[in-house]
Amino acid sequence: MSSYVAVLSALDNARTQWYHVTAIVIAGMGFFTDAYDLFCISTVTKLLGRLYYYDGSLTKPGKLPHDVNNFVTGVALVGTLTGQLVFGWLGDILGRKKVYGLTLVLMAVCAICSGLTFGYSPKAVMTTLCFFRFWLGFGIGGDYPLSATIMSEYANKKTRGTFIAAVFAMQGVGIIFAGMVSMILSGVFLRSYRGKTFLEDAVLSAEPEADYVWRIVLMLGALPAILTYYWRMKMPETGRYTAIIEGNAKQAASDMGRVLDIEIQAEQEKLSQFRAANEYSLLSSEFLARHGKHLIGTTTTWFLLDIAFYSQNLTQKDIFPTMKLTSKPEAVSALREMFETSRAMFVVALFGTFPGYWFTVAFIEKIGRFYIQLLGFFMMSVFMLIMGLKYDYLRNENHKWTFAFLYGLTFFFANFGPNATTFVLPAELFPTRLRSTCHAISAASGKAGAMIGAFGVQNYTQDGDVHKIKKAMILLAFTNLIGFFCTFLVTETKGRSLEEISGEDGRGGVEETQMTEKQTVNRPDQWE
């Protein structure tokens, strides 16, 4: 089909405008909330153990049992996986905008309820916490496919990767704030209610006032969701969904003309032809032929990446004491332990995690998604393998900062690498009719990997066993190496329209287009 609908062409070629920035902020604040809510739990789990699971021992503070710890940190990921599939499917069926606000409502309500408990016993507290964190994760899950799809469909083709990566980069800001807020709150309470160390007084080392701290940390996750809700509800449906799925070129032109400074002609007849050529379903043989390899590529790479990425984020609280980056639990009070853990997480996020996201934003349209992903997987493999093989050497007091540097580099190349690109590519490779669903399937595959990190890899790190931590590091290195090779199942998308990439314009998709260009690049008429 040679004709290209005017509304889609106008969106592809629109200059970057203020509303593009507004859309990045609105979608990005959702990701800020997502990251804060998912990762702040790592700053409070040790505190929960000392408050609710002290068994009267005089040798070591209370600690969450392995299964309780795994469930507290991992239940939100189970909710996220479920929410991704449900909201991703609804985004294609009902429209992006109609379900976009619901995710924020769920996040705000459940973040507040996560700080409340029905009862005082450890079982009651943990059950309530896990219940609401599951539904918190359910709302977070919806934000992944919807934010990525909305941003990709609003953006022009020259800066689309930058815009989607900028939305995802707000995850880095959320991780920083998770550490910073926990550090500040525990520090403030520590100044007013400083307890004795565990060795000095086993009981009073767990300050009673600390029970407020973890609740406040979790409940503050509702604030950015509440602040963003009004602006998210004012966003119009994306022009691509209105035109291609709803078949209303006039409404699409009106909506986009209202928020973007572009002139669009409503070509209803051409749109009908365009839609007729792209009505295949997810389970059809046509989808399998056009996009099957890409879907395998996006799901496997995201799955493998999240095993490593979430393992790192969720287990760093266990690795820091082993590497002497924080004090031993016996030598500090509960609030002091939380403060030191949060401070270490904040520093790693600020100097390792955060810069990687913005390197991707800066270079994704220059280097491309494909090569950034290859580079990230490869460098993560190298640094994790070094840390695993040389762990005994690096944990020496004289080399702990070398370990911290290498550990930070793995975070840097995760984010200047597959953690960002696995989010971007599924928002570009698939057709409008199935874009949100395919992104959801890819993201849910990632969360399945994250659950392996939460319920599996954490078992290797919780006791601080040197040999187990070494095994975990080496295992994650090989996981990343497999991700490197699975990256060859996806293809480069930079500089092309969404319809050209997916084959909706009738040209057969990005790989056929690239092949055709290679065959015709030397034709004289290409330069006339």
Side-chain angles (χ1 to χ4, degrees):
M1 182 176 55
S2 59
S3 63
Y4 190 57
V5 181
V7 65
L8 307 180
S9 180
L11 288 169
D12 281 333
N13 297 298
R15 60 181 175 81
T16 300
Q17 301 172 35
W18 179 247
Y19 191 76
H20 286 126
V21 178
T22 304
I24 290 171
V25 173
I26 294 171
M29 283 305 292
F31 259 87
F32 171 91
T33 308
D34 299 349
Y36 180 91
D37 287 334
L38 283 177
F39 294 110
C40 69
I41 195 68
S42 293
T43 68
V44 303
T45 48
K46 285 184 176 291
L47 179 62
L48 290 171
R50 293 183 72 145
L51 288 172
Y52 292 103
Y53 284 88
Y54 176 56
D55 60 2
S57 166
L58 297 178
T59 57
K60 56 183 178 180
K63 185 177 181 180
L64 292 179
H66 283 196
D67 56 342
V68 175
N69 178 81
N70 292 348
F71 210 69
V72 167
T73 56
V75 69
L77 300 175
V78 179
T80 302
L81 186 154
T82 312
Q84 285 166 338
L85 294 174
V86 172
F87 281 107
W89 174 71
L90 289 175
D92 282 336
I93 300 298
L94 302 177
R96 293 39 163 147
K97 181 187 175 180
K98 288 180 181 177
V99 292
Y100 203 29
L102 182 58
T103 62
L104 283 184
V105 173
L106 263 175
M107 284 191 277
V109 171
C110 293
I112 292 171
C113 291
S114 293
L116 307 175
T117 51
F118 304 136
Y120 301 97
S121 68
K123 184 177 180 181
V125 172
M126 296 305 144
T127 300
T128 306
L129 176 60
C130 289
F131 175 81
F132 286 114
R133 280 193 65 80
F134 171 85
W135 290 107
L136 172 67
F138 191 80
I140 289 172
D143 229 47
Y144 274 74
L146 294 173
S147 290
T149 300
I150 286 171
M151 199 65 248
S152 72
E153 292 180 352
Y154 268 120
N156 62 60
K157 64 183 180 182
K158 289 184 178 179
T159 56
R160 185 181 58 243
T162 301
F163 289 171
I164 303 173
V167 169
F168 192 66
M170 290 300 291
Q171 186 184 72
V173 183
I175 294 172
I176 286 176
F177 268 76
M180 185 174 72
V181 169
S182 300
M183 179 177 66
I184 291 172
L185 280 173
S186 57
V188 169
F189 272 73
L190 196 58
R191 293 187 66 177
S192 301
Y193 309 105
R194 182 183 294 274
K196 296 181 179 180
T197 69
F198 181 82
L199 294 175
E200 291 173 335
D201 191 313
V203 176
L204 293 180
S205 68
E207 300 93 336
E209 295 81 7
D211 197 45
Y212 293 107
V213 178
W214 71 267
R215 299 174 188 273
I216 296 170
V217 168
L218 297 184
M219 294 170 80
L220 282 175
L223 189 59
I226 293 170
L227 295 175
T228 310
Y229 180 78
Y230 171 76
W231 299 106
R232 189 171 280 196
M233 288 297 91
K234 289 192 70 176
M235 293 179 77
E237 184 57 83
T238 70
R240 282 184 161 87
Y241 186 89
T242 304
I244 297 174
I245 307 305
E246 295 182 347
N248 193 336
K250 185 177 181 181
Q251 185 64 49
S254 173
D255 287 345
M256 293 301 97
R258 184 157 46 91
V259 295
L260 295 173
D261 184 19
I262 51 177
E263 293 185 7
I264 306 174
Q265 292 180 328
E267 300 177 317
Q268 194 66 43
E269 184 178 344
K270 287 184 178 180
L271 180 61
S272 298
Q273 298 171 5
F274 192 96
R275 293 183 69 212
N278 295 285
E279 291 192 337
Y280 54 89
S281 68
L282 178 67
L283 300 178
S284 67
S285 58
E286 187 168 359
F287 175 86
L288 184 63
R290 290 192 186 190
H291 308 292
K293 188 179 83 168
H294 292 156
L295 187 58
I296 294 171
T298 57
T299 52
T300 53
T301 52
W302 206 334
F303 172 79
L304 293 162
L305 175 276
D306 272 7
I307 293 175
F309 184 72
Y310 278 84
S311 294
Q312 281 183 284
N313 276 286
L314 296 176
T315 62
Q316 56 185 313
K317 67 186 187 303
D318 304 313
I319 294 174
F320 289 152
T322 306
M323 297 308 303
K324 302 179 179 61
L325 297 175
T326 57
S327 303
K328 291 184 177 180
E330 298 85 358
V332 290
S333 69
L335 280 174
R336 180 68 192 181
E337 183 179 24
M338 179 180 173
F339 175 80
E340 291 187 6
T341 301
S342 303
R343 181 180 60 188
M345 289 177 64
F346 171 72
V347 171
V348 169
L350 184 63
F351 294 105
T353 305
F354 182 72
Y357 285 101
W358 295 99
F359 265 68
T360 300
V361 173
F363 293 107
I364 193 167
E365 294 296 354
K366 296 179 176 68
I367 301 174
R369 294 78 158 138
F370 181 78
Y371 289 111
I372 288 177
Q373 185 160 306
L374 283 178
L375 174 68
F377 267 130
F378 181 77
M379 298 307 292
M380 288 173 71
S381 300
V382 170
F383 292 125
M384 283 189 169
L385 190 61
I386 292 172
M387 287 189 293
L389 294 175
K390 295 293 184 180
Y391 192 75
D392 291 313
Y393 171 80
L394 292 169
R395 65 189 296 266
N396 184 285
E397 179 72 26
N398 297 325
H399 304 114
K400 66 179 182 180
W401 294 112
T402 304
F403 175 87
F405 178 70
L406 291 171
Y407 199 63
L409 281 175
T410 62
F411 279 104
F412 175 81
F413 281 104
N415 297 304
F416 181 42
N419 193 40
T421 54
T422 53
F423 178 80
V424 174
L425 282 167
E428 299 179 312
L429 285 168
F430 304 105
T432 307
R433 183 174 299 280
L434 300 167
R435 184 169 294 126
S436 180
T437 300
C438 289
H439 195 285
I441 292 170
S442 303
S445 177
K447 285 302 165 286
M451 288 161 59
I452 290 176
F455 294 106
V457 178
Q458 272 199 115
N459 290 327
Y460 284 84
T461 64
Q462 287 181 61
D463 296 324
D465 187 303
V466 172
H467 297 294
K468 286 186 176 181
I469 292 176
K470 283 181 66 173
K471 287 181 181 179
M473 290 285 186
I474 295 171
L475 176 65
L476 294 177
F478 281 102
T479 300
N480 289 319
L481 192 60
I482 298 171
F484 174 88
F485 290 108
C486 287
T487 297
F488 289 95
L489 292 170
V490 299
T491 190
E492 186 55 69
T493 57
K494 71 180 179 118
R496 300 176 184 275
S497 73
L498 291 175
E499 289 69 37
E500 183 182 350
I501 294 165
S502 66
E504 288 175 284
D505 64 354
R507 297 176 65 185
V510 65
E511 288 178 331
E512 288 190 23
T513 302
Q514 289 172 337
M515 190 177 298
T516 302
E517 288 179 352
K518 288 178 182 178
Q519 292 171 348
T520 60
V521 70
N522 292 320
R523 278 172 45 192
D525 61 310
Q526 298 298 307
W527 307 97
E528 290 176 359

